[in-house]
């Protein structure tokens, strides 16, 4: 599932793409959005992962795959800052919100010729740390999805990309996306609770994942995540996607 090495920017892009695809697949599968036929199976250690595939019998899953591929294009160009998708009764009323925040690093791994080792500048993780963080992120996501309450039957799914305006051409739209002329304000259905699921950092990219859901769905989630003693943090501050966190 993951590149054997993460020594180049292209290898880092591959990791980010696969993490995004696995995460979105996990969420849609565990929330029961698409039939079993829309997923293939891959193994990660003792985890059996369900991965979205192009299922022509399910137009909804085909659309999600197209959106993910559009995000891949924006990732390669280093344009995308946020990849978000949310469930609700309509595009403006949110029941659950999933955010993937991307940052692009200018620092790169440097080779120390004397010791024949790679030094990652600015305190960035080595390859084993990156793979460990990737596995932990996926496990945390699966744990969270297993404990969230069921979604309403009439739910709709919407995806949105936010860009770094200083580098993204004004007319750029990745495949599967179109310009959104709305104000962008989201109204949350109920009292929102924000969960920082985790992050993965390489010498080239940083991806952070957070989930916002209704407080009433959190009764079992909070206790389970706290018992894990992992990096998942729970905040009752609501939608704070602009908040800067320490990396």
């Amino acid at each position: 599932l993951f590149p054997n090495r993460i020594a180049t920017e292209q290898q880092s892009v591959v990791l980010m793409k696969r993490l995004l695809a696995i995460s979105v697949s996990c969420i849609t599968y565990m929330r029961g959005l698409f039939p079993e036929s829309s997923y293939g199976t891959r193994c990660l250690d003792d985890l059996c992962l369900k991965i979205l595939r192009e299922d022509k019998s399910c137009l909804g899953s085909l659309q999600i795959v197209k959106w993910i591929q559009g995000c891949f294009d924006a990732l390669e160009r280093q344009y995308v800052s946020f990849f978000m998708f949310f469930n609700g009764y309509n595009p403006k009323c949110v029941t659950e919100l999933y955010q993937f925040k991307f940052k692009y690093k200018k620092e790169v791994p440097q080779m120390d010729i004397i010791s024949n080792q790679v030094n990652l500048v600015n305190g960035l993780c080595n390859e084993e740390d990156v793979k460990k963080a990737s596995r932990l992120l996926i496990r945390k996501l699966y744990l969270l999805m297993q404990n969230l309450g069921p979604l309403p039957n009439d739910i709709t799914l919407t995806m949105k990309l936010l860009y770094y305006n200083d580098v993204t051409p004004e007319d750029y739209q990745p495949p599967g996306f179109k310009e959104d002329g709305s104000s962008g304000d989201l109204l949350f259905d109920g009292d929102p609770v924000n969960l920082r699921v985790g992050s993965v950092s390489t010498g080239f990219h940083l991806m952070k994942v957070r989930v916002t859901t209704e407080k009433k769905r959190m009764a079992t989630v909070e206790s389970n995540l706290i018992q894990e003693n992992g990096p998942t943090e729970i905040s009752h501050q609501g939608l704070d996607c602009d908040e800067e966190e320490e990396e």
Side-chain angles (χ1 to χ4, degrees):
L1 286 178
F2 301 127
N4 291 326
R5 297 196 64 203
I6 312 169
T8 68
E9 185 174 348
Q10 185 56 41
Q11 290 166 340
S12 179
V13 168
V14 170
L15 175 65
M16 293 294 122
K17 286 181 178 180
R18 292 182 181 175
L19 274 177
L20 178 64
I22 291 170
S23 299
V24 174
S25 297
C26 159
I27 294 164
T28 59
Y29 182 80
M30 299 298 288
R31 303 310 278 139
L33 296 180
F34 305 118
E36 190 78 26
S37 60
S38 297
Y39 299 86
T41 303
R42 296 290 296 273
C43 291
L44 176 65
D45 301 332
D46 59 340
L47 267 184
C48 181
L49 305 178
K50 295 293 184 177
I51 310 296
L52 270 169
R53 61 186 179 187
E54 293 181 300
D55 178 14
K56 295 182 179 180
S57 65
C58 180
L59 295 179
S61 65
L62 277 176
Q63 182 63 64
I64 299 298
V65 170
K66 188 175 182 180
W67 281 337
I68 294 173
Q69 291 171 342
C71 187
F72 286 175
D73 183 84
L75 254 176
E76 288 180 347
R77 299 172 188 266
Q78 297 192 357
Y79 290 165
V80 63
S81 61
F82 267 100
F83 175 75
M84 304 190 303
F85 67 102
F86 35 90
N87 301 308
Y89 303 107
N90 60 66
K92 289 298 180 182
C93 188
V94 181
T95 302
E96 291 178 353
L97 172 66
Y98 301 89
Q99 300 179 66
F100 297 81
K101 183 176 184 179
F102 297 99
K103 288 187 177 181
Y104 309 98
K105 306 278 189 171
K106 295 182 179 178
E107 301 87 353
V108 296
Q110 297 178 340
M111 176 66 76
D112 185 340
I113 299 176
I114 298 175
S115 63
N116 197 32
Q117 292 181 347
V118 174
N119 294 325
L120 293 176
V121 299
N122 201 25
L124 300 177
C125 300
N126 62 37
E127 291 175 5
E128 284 306 311
D129 288 337
V130 171
K131 291 178 182 179
K132 183 178 178 181
S134 301
R135 292 186 180 97
L136 185 60
L137 176 65
I138 294 169
R139 288 180 182 276
K140 287 283 183 182
L141 207 47
Y142 263 83
L143 176 65
L144 174 59
M145 295 299 105
Q146 287 170 357
N147 288 280
L148 282 179
L151 288 168
N153 292 328
D154 56 348
I155 210 75
T156 60
L157 180 65
T158 308
M159 290 196 177
K160 186 173 183 177
L161 292 182
L162 301 180
Y163 306 103
Y164 287 105
N165 293 327
D166 56 335
V167 295
T168 306
E170 289 187 10
D171 60 347
Y172 173 75
Q173 292 297 335
F177 289 85
K178 63 182 180 180
E179 186 175 357
D180 181 11
S182 65
S183 63
D185 295 333
L186 298 175
L187 298 176
F188 212 86
D189 183 20
D191 186 11
V193 177
N194 189 45
L195 294 95
R196 297 182 182 91
V197 179
S199 64
V200 176
S201 177
T202 71
F204 305 92
H205 300 86
L206 169 69
M207 184 178 86
K208 295 181 181 180
V209 181
R210 64 175 56 182
V211 177
T212 309
T213 186
E214 295 171 309
K215 186 176 181 179
K216 65 183 182 181
R217 299 173 183 269
M218 299 298 298
T220 58
V221 175
E222 286 203 46
S223 60
N224 276 300
L225 289 178
I226 291 171
Q227 288 171 9
E228 283 287 307
N229 293 322
T232 304
E233 299 175 19
I234 298 177
S235 167
H236 295 265
Q237 297 174 354
L239 302 179
D240 57 348
C241 63
D242 293 327
E243 173 192 348
E244 286 298 325
E245 307 160 28
E246 289 188 17
E247 297 170 10

